[in-house]
Amino acid sequence: MIRLFDSVHGEIRELQLRDAGEVSMYVCGPTVYDLPHLGHGRYTLIWDVARRWFTFRGLEVRFVSNITDIDDNIIARALRDGVDESEVARIYEDQWWDAMTRLGVARPSDTPHATQFVDQMVELISTLLELDVAYATSDGIYFDVSRVADYGLLAGQPLDSLRAGARIEANDEKRSPLDFALWKNAKPAEPSWSAPFGDGRPGWHTECVVMSLELLGDGFDLHCGGFDLKFPHHENERAQAVAAGRPFAQHWAHNGWVMVGAEKMSKSLNNFTSLTHLLEETDARAYRLLVLRSHYRSPIEVSPATIADAERALSRLDALARRFGLPALAGQTLEVKSSFNWEGPGLDLLERVCQKLDDDLDTPLAVALLFDAVSAANALADAGDEWSARALASAVAALFGALGLALESVGDEVDAASAALVSQRDQARAEKDWAEADRLRAELVALGWTVEDSDSGTQIRHS
RNA sequence: GGCGGCGUGGCCGAGUGGUUAGGCAGGGGCCUGCAAAGCCCCGUACUUGGGUUCGAAUCCCAACGCCGCCUCCA
């Protein structure tokens, strides 16, 4: 049984599945008009972890995440760069998948593009117009939030109090400041699609509700996204579904954001670091470990210091993998490691880790258990209990693998010159010529190697 | 104004009524030719003021500070 915090009820609840053994989940994806930033990295990592965990637990996961390839930001970018909107979307979508690949985020089962679902969006808007929950203004079609009885469910407050705080909008044709655009009328030189209620393009909130329902069907299980999407984006998606009489997501999960110092990282504050940039100079696994070490609903600080901290913690895991020659059990695939032989202390670890992760995806506690197991495995090996040590260490690698973190046991490629120094050093050590051995070690270190002695002689890897 | 979250040891970051979170950094020891890696031990923290309790970082009340959503945002 998987339990997960549900934003609507404000408590941890059992994840009820529409179809036994199958999870249908939707994660709001990026609008592709710029490089992905660290916030995108966090949400993709944590929901990738959730997906992998559900899969590991034997559930069949249909994981849908969209690409918003038409909206105001894309149009603005196209204008700025003097290229076509579709070109902007193509460029940044490529960047997106590059970053996802490097992060080790598995491809969603489906990656719907907004522009491919315009017909269905037009259909939904027509329905909403027929039902009189939508109305036309001079610049588009708007949704009348007052027509949804429980509007404000996700925001956690009634419509009245939301309205009280709403700021004055430029558009005074709207019946309520909270009414949102379903369709924006075509403007010259902007992409548009034909519709019975006038040519134009869809609003963002309509894109997600249509794509999720279209691919996952009515009453799908789980809708995820950052906390900042809870309102108004998710509220508005839900409002449309409710108004159209279609059961929507049964469970809502939101992740905490990335902080820069004491502030949320966001586009509007222009304080974001691009994910692309981070991945150029960092082992992507460090970001995954950093994400795993805090709870998904808490804010996290991503800075050179916290990344470096995670990198050092990671090296402890890799050292374990090297010591036991453990295979890397993660990557692009979601293969369930059913063939893995859980035994002895490894089986015990599996049970305890499952207990934590099944309870609101408590990755920080699970990671703490795994680090405890690293110490225990090393201690067992030091004490000569190879069997137990190996069973435990293998389980650690398998469980990190289940969370998408591959431990690295294979050494770096060693060039001929360095290899020669290594064998010379082994020779010197065999002859107990310590001065020469130390000199050769210094030479290797100067070449950027970390040098360690082992039973089988000098081992080197990149620092 | 409405709603929500947070304040933990040098740093990051869990926990939530009584037993060690974990990682990083630091100190001591073991191991090692010396190192590295690894193992063992150590720091004795919970914004402040009240209260409840045999006992609170954990519950209640108040105060202070910080952050977020209500507007494009993951």
Side-chain angles (χ1 to χ4, degrees):
Chain A
M1 180 179 94
I2 306 259
R3 287 157 52 80
L4 204 59
F5 188 87
D6 179 39
S7 301
V8 167
H9 297 93
E11 62 182 21
I12 294 169
R13 304 193 136 203
E14 183 181 349
L15 183 61
Q16 301 281 353
L17 303 179
R18 180 183 55 188
D19 306 305
E22 294 174 24
V23 183
S24 45
M25 64 190 287
Y26 186 88
V27 180
C28 287
T31 300
V32 282
Y33 69 100
D34 203 350
L35 295 176
H37 62 69
L38 296 181
H40 294 112
R42 187 194 189 174
Y43 93 78
T44 50
L45 280 169
I46 195 63
W47 299 120
D48 177 67
V49 166
R51 172 198 195 177
R52 287 171 186 272
W53 185 248
F54 298 159
T55 305
F56 183 86
R57 295 300 265 147
L59 298 165
E60 188 72 37
V61 184
R62 177 102 183 258
F63 184 99
V64 178
S65 192
N66 68 290
I67 295 288
T68 294
D69 57 352
I70 182 63
D71 96 329
D72 293 348
N73 288 311
I74 292 174
I75 292 169
R77 182 77 191 223
L79 197 65
R80 200 185 96 191
D81 294 355
V83 296
D84 212 55
E85 288 80 8
S86 60
E87 181 67 3
V88 169
R90 193 191 59 74
I91 290 168
Y92 292 108
E93 184 178 347
D94 284 352
Q95 291 283 348
W96 174 264
W97 295 120
D98 272 3
M100 291 303 111
T101 301
R102 280 198 279 179
L103 269 183
V105 168
R107 273 272 181 169
S109 320
D110 300 89
T111 57
H113 289 61
T115 54
Q116 297 167 342
F117 287 83
V118 176
D119 288 350
Q120 292 90 328
M121 295 173 200
V122 167
E123 207 174 304
L124 173 66
I125 295 166
S126 297
T127 302
L128 296 173
L129 282 167
E130 282 164 27
L131 292 167
D132 199 33
V133 296
Y135 57 91
T137 70
S138 57
D139 68 348
I141 308 293
Y142 284 82
F143 185 93
D144 184 345
V145 298
S146 71
R147 297 298 306 279
V148 175
D150 60 357
Y151 190 84
L153 186 69
L154 276 162
Q157 47 186 333
L159 188 54
D160 297 354
S161 67
L162 282 168
R163 192 178 299 197
R167 298 180 192 176
I168 299 151
E169 296 250 346
N171 184 351
D172 52 11
E173 289 180 63
K174 281 164 66 172
R175 296 176 188 169
S176 158
L178 291 167
D179 290 351
F180 56 92
L182 297 168
W183 188 258
K184 301 185 179 189
N185 289 344
K187 289 180 196 156
E190 283 187 5
S192 67
W193 288 260
S194 64
F197 38 79
D199 292 1
R201 57 191 166 85
W204 180 42
H205 309 306
T206 301
E207 298 178 359
C208 278
V209 69
V210 164
M211 290 186 277
S212 56
L213 285 172
E214 196 69 28
L215 291 164
L216 294 171
D218 288 7
F220 64 90
D221 302 321
L222 179 62
H223 197 133
C224 310
F227 267 123
D228 45 2
L229 293 187
K230 193 156 72 163
F231 190 91
H233 183 56
H234 288 163
E235 188 81 48
N236 290 347
E237 283 187 55
R238 197 186 138 275
Q240 293 170 79
V242 168
R246 302 187 63 176
F248 203 48
Q250 299 299 297
H251 201 112
W252 293 85
H254 294 96
N255 61 277
W257 37 70
V258 170
M259 305 294 287
V260 179
E263 280 183 326
K264 176 193 167 197
M265 174 174 293
S266 74
K267 286 295 207 183
S268 51
L269 291 171
N270 203 246
N271 62 352
F272 57 90
T273 300
S274 95
L275 184 59
T276 308
H277 180 68
L278 174 83
L279 295 175
E280 273 161 11
E281 50 193 34
T282 314
D283 184 337
R285 299 178 305 149
Y287 193 15
R288 185 177 288 261
L289 185 57
L290 181 60
V291 165
L292 289 173
R293 287 206 308 184
S294 72
H295 191 87
Y296 75 91
R297 286 188 279 122
S298 301
I300 54 169
E301 170 93 26
V302 183
S303 65
T306 60
I307 286 286
D309 189 84
E311 282 182 312
R312 285 188 295 262
L314 188 59
S315 72
R316 182 165 158 75
L317 300 177
D318 286 342
L320 181 84
R322 282 197 303 278
R323 179 171 189 174
F324 292 94
L326 303 173
L329 299 173
Q332 298 302 305
T333 70
L334 292 163
E335 184 189 345
V336 183
K337 302 300 180 296
S338 53
S339 59
F340 186 83
N341 190 21
W342 305 94
E343 54 185 358
L347 182 61
D348 178 59
L349 179 67
L350 170 70
E351 283 165 3
R352 285 184 298 145
V353 167
C354 285
Q355 202 187 329
K356 296 305 175 195
L357 292 174
D358 287 349
D359 186 14
D360 198 25
L361 206 61
D362 200 338
T363 57
L365 278 183
V367 167
L369 287 172
L370 289 167
F371 271 95
D372 277 343
V374 169
S375 297
N378 278 315
L380 284 165
D382 286 353
D385 186 351
E386 273 298 326
W387 181 84
S388 299
R390 177 161 295 279
L392 195 52
S394 306
V396 168
L399 286 163
F400 270 116
L403 299 174
L405 187 77
L407 274 45
E408 287 179 358
S409 62
V410 284
D412 298 300
E413 232 171 271
V414 179
D415 58 282
S418 299
L421 291 171
V422 166
S423 70
Q424 283 172 46
R425 179 164 185 272
D426 283 338
Q427 179 70 28
R429 292 191 72 228
E431 291 163 6
K432 297 199 190 306
D433 183 353
W434 308 127
E436 178 65 1
D438 289 352
R439 190 189 66 73
L440 290 160
R441 177 166 59 195
E443 216 173 306
L444 284 163
V445 168
L447 289 169
W449 295 102
T450 292
V451 181
E452 287 179 14
D453 294 344
S454 75
D455 294 342
S456 54
T458 298
Q459 302 290 321
I460 60 172
R461 63 196 153 83
H462 285 301
S463 306

